[in-house]
Amino acid sequence: MFLVHNERTKLTANWLNTLATALVAAGVFAPAAAVLYGLSSIQLGRGFLSVILLGCVTLGVAIHLVALKLIGRMRE
């Protein structure tokens, strides 16, 4: 009965989770790797980089939690 609703819910939650993962990858791992390996020509201070990293992780976790809440709306 609720098959279409559940599939749409899973699709939306999956999209949100993928967005959260991409945000963490692009906002945390890429800049950290660029700084660690000296690949970045932009000189960023450690404080500024830390704020960006923390912000991306926080936002990524928040989006992931929204996806989890959305999954809770599935019907039997």
Side-chain angles (χ1 to χ4, degrees):
M1 184 74 142
F2 299 113
L3 186 60
V4 172
H5 169 76
N6 286 346
E7 289 302 317
R8 286 182 180 169
T9 301
K10 287 192 290 187
L11 183 64
T12 303
N14 186 31
W15 182 82
L16 286 171
N17 196 48
T18 303
L19 178 65
T21 303
L23 179 66
V24 171
V28 176
F29 298 124
V35 169
L36 285 173
Y37 294 112
L39 301 173
S40 177
S41 61
I42 300 172
Q43 298 299 324
L44 297 175
R46 288 185 186 256
F48 183 69
L49 186 61
S50 297
V51 169
I52 290 174
L53 299 180
L54 184 62
C56 287
V57 167
T58 302
L59 189 56
V61 168
I63 293 171
H64 176 72
L65 292 175
V66 168
L68 284 177
K69 181 110 173 130
L70 187 62
I71 282 290
R73 296 175 56 195
M74 290 178 59
R75 301 177 188 158
E76 289 188 30

